[in-house]
């Protein structure tokens, strides 16, 4: 790909369909990345050597992409064209993060949180999710990334009894990096960047995504052997987060807390996800104890996922919460 400049709407790229006499690919190929309009959608491309153009779905079809991915892209582009001028406050993926943070910033908190080790997390898991410790504010730091892996925010978990907010998204701490910095966590699903591209490019069926409410639960489920795990960072989902899910899966296992609050949230959010076409399967705790995923042994975590219930089955058990 060529160098992208802010404000540029056509990115030069390599044409995948022809090579020159020396066997190297030619580059008179451009991909449109501007705003959606009635005449053009993001991803539209044209090759001056082939003298041919493609919409993003037709290009993916010619490249042999999975039918499920193409259908999701078509649905997404249809929504974009239907809202070519996004309304203020829209939660669709038209909105993106205004600021990203430098990766070097993580070096400030590059300390292993001993509390995580005491809870049973391995160093491998801590490193996989770039979890650190903020010595000044006495908080465990969880970097927040968008689905492309861009570093967009930090959330700190309290480790002292006198700290009022258990989890706090950093803002004032980052204003020296960007004076007008803001972090809209409703635009991201924590951990999704670890497997988003893999699923989008997959040519064979992928396992369901497992979604937890918080960082700690998601890390524990991953450590127990479930590969595709993300966290909603709260009990409610925004339209943007639902759109991210529908782009990379058709089936979702909701592994939320097994207490009364968690069940009520799962029932409400699960119904909403089903309205967007997702197959929702609540994890099967096999108990009515008010516990969380990270209270379970690895064997029980894997069993809860493998024996997940249909939403109808789960509703019959807990629909009166």
């Amino acid at each position: 790909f060529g160098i992208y400049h802010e404000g540029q709407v056509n990115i030069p790229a390599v044409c995948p369909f022809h090579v020159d006499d020396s066997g190297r690919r030619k580059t008179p190929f451009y991909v449109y990345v501007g705003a959606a309009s009635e005449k053009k959608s993001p991803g539209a491309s044209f090759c001056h050597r082939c003298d041919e153009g493609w919409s993003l779905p037709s290009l993916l079809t010619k490249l042999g992409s999975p039918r499920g991915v193409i259908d999701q892209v078509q649905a997404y582009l249809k929504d974009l064209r239907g809202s070519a001028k996004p309304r203020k406050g829209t939660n669709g993926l038209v909105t993106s993060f205004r600021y990203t943070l430098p990766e070097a910033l993580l070096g400030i908190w590059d300390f292993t949180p001993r509390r995580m080790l005491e809870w049973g997390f391995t160093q491998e898991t801590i490193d996989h999710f770039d979890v650190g410790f903020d010595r000044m504010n006495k908080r465990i730091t969880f970097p927040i990334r968008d689905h492309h892996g861009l570093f967009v925010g930090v959330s700190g978990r309290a480790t002292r009894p006198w700290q009022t907010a258990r989890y706090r998204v950093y803002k004032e701490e980052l204003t020296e990096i960007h004076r007008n910095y803001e972090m809209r966590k409703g635009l991201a699903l924590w951990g999704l960047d670890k497997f988003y591209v893999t699923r989008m490019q997959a040519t064979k069926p992928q396992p369901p995504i497992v979604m937890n409410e918080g960082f700690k639960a998601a890390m524990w489920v991953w450590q127990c052997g479930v590969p595709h795990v993300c966290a909603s960072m709260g009990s409610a989902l925004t339209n943007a987060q639902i759109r991210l899910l529908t782009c990379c899966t058709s089936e979702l296992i909701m592994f939320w807390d097994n207490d009364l609050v968690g069940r009520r949230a799962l029932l409400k959010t699960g119904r909403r996800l089903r309205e967007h076409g997702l197959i929702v399967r609540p994890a099967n705790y096999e108990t009515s104890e008010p516990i969380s995923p990270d209270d379970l042994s690895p064997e029980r975590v894997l069993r809860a996922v493998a024996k997940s219930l249909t939403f109808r089955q789960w509703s019959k058990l807990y629909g009166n919460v």
Side-chain angles (χ1 to χ4, degrees):
F1 281 80
I3 298 175
Y4 174 70
H5 299 282
E6 187 174 356
Q8 186 176 350
V9 296
N10 290 298
I11 296 180
V14 175
C15 179
F17 304 121
H18 69 263
V19 296
D20 63 11
D21 295 336
S22 63
R24 294 180 301 177
R25 296 188 182 277
K26 303 294 287 184
T27 59
F29 184 87
Y30 294 88
V31 180
Y32 177 72
V33 295
S37 66
E38 293 182 0
K39 296 183 178 180
K40 186 178 290 187
S41 297
S45 54
F46 184 83
C47 177
H48 291 278
R49 182 71 173 269
C50 298
D51 196 25
E52 187 176 355
W54 304 269
S55 65
L56 183 54
S58 63
L59 179 62
L60 291 174
T61 299
K62 190 166 183 177
L63 290 172
S65 298
R67 185 68 251 176
V69 172
I70 296 171
D71 290 342
Q72 290 171 356
V73 169
Q74 286 178 323
Y76 174 52
L77 293 177
K78 182 178 179 180
D79 288 347
L80 283 184
R81 287 192 295 272
S83 56
K85 295 182 179 179
R87 295 183 298 275
K88 185 177 181 180
T90 179
N91 285 324
L93 290 186
V94 177
T95 306
S96 59
F97 286 95
R98 186 176 178 186
Y99 300 108
T100 58
L101 299 170
E103 290 287 330
L105 186 63
L106 293 175
I108 299 175
W109 308 301
D110 190 17
F111 305 99
T112 298
R114 287 181 294 178
R115 187 70 60 86
M116 298 289 289
L117 297 174
E118 293 169 0
W119 288 333
F121 289 97
T122 65
Q123 188 66 53
E124 178 188 3
T125 300
I126 293 170
D127 292 343
H128 180 74
F129 292 100
D130 296 320
V131 176
F133 186 71
D134 182 351
R135 289 183 170 181
M136 179 178 294
N137 293 293
K138 308 301 181 186
R139 288 181 177 271
I140 300 172
T141 56
F142 298 88
I144 301 172
R145 300 180 183 276
D146 69 4
H147 55 293
H148 295 300
L150 297 176
F151 180 26
V152 296
V154 177
S155 181
R157 188 190 193 279
T159 59
R160 302 293 189 270
W162 45 263
Q163 293 173 305
T164 53
R166 188 177 184 185
Y167 283 95
R168 182 165 64 82
V169 175
Y170 283 12
K171 182 177 180 182
E172 291 81 5
E173 294 86 346
L174 303 174
T175 53
E176 291 186 6
I177 306 296
H178 290 296
R179 179 176 298 180
N180 298 317
Y181 171 80
E182 63 176 346
M183 168 59 208
R184 297 174 60 188
K185 65 179 184 179
L187 296 178
L189 288 166
W190 191 78
L192 185 63
D193 63 290
K194 303 297 184 184
F195 54 86
Y196 182 82
V197 174
T198 299
R199 294 185 71 96
M200 293 296 288
Q201 296 178 347
T203 57
K204 57 185 179 180
Q206 295 291 299
I209 291 176
V210 176
M211 183 173 64
N212 299 102
E213 290 182 74
F215 311 119
K216 187 164 167 271
M219 290 177 63
W220 182 251
V221 172
W222 182 86
Q223 181 172 297
C224 290
V226 180
H228 295 175
V229 185
C230 65
S232 61
M233 298 183 286
S235 59
L237 289 177
T238 65
N239 289 338
Q241 290 171 320
I242 293 175
R243 177 66 68 185
L244 284 170
L245 290 170
T246 58
C247 280
C248 58
T249 190
S250 60
E251 186 174 357
L252 184 70
I253 295 177
M254 297 183 68
F255 204 165
W256 288 17
D257 293 352
N258 201 40
D259 57 12
L260 183 61
V261 174
R263 290 173 185 168
R264 285 176 174 170
L266 192 155
L267 182 66
K268 181 179 179 180
T269 304
R271 286 172 174 168
R272 189 155 166 247
L273 289 166
R274 281 160 55 89
E275 290 174 355
H276 284 77
L278 285 171
I279 299 171
V280 176
R281 299 183 62 89
N284 187 2
Y285 278 91
E286 298 180 313
T287 178
S288 58
E289 294 180 76
I291 54 179
S292 302
D294 44 307
D295 294 320
L296 302 178
S297 66
E299 293 76 20
R300 289 186 66 187
V301 166
L302 294 176
R303 190 164 66 246
V305 172
K307 295 188 175 183
S308 58
L309 305 170
T310 67
F311 195 76
R312 179 173 295 181
Q313 288 172 330
W314 186 89
S315 297
K316 286 182 178 180
L317 292 173
Y318 303 110
N320 60 349
V321 296

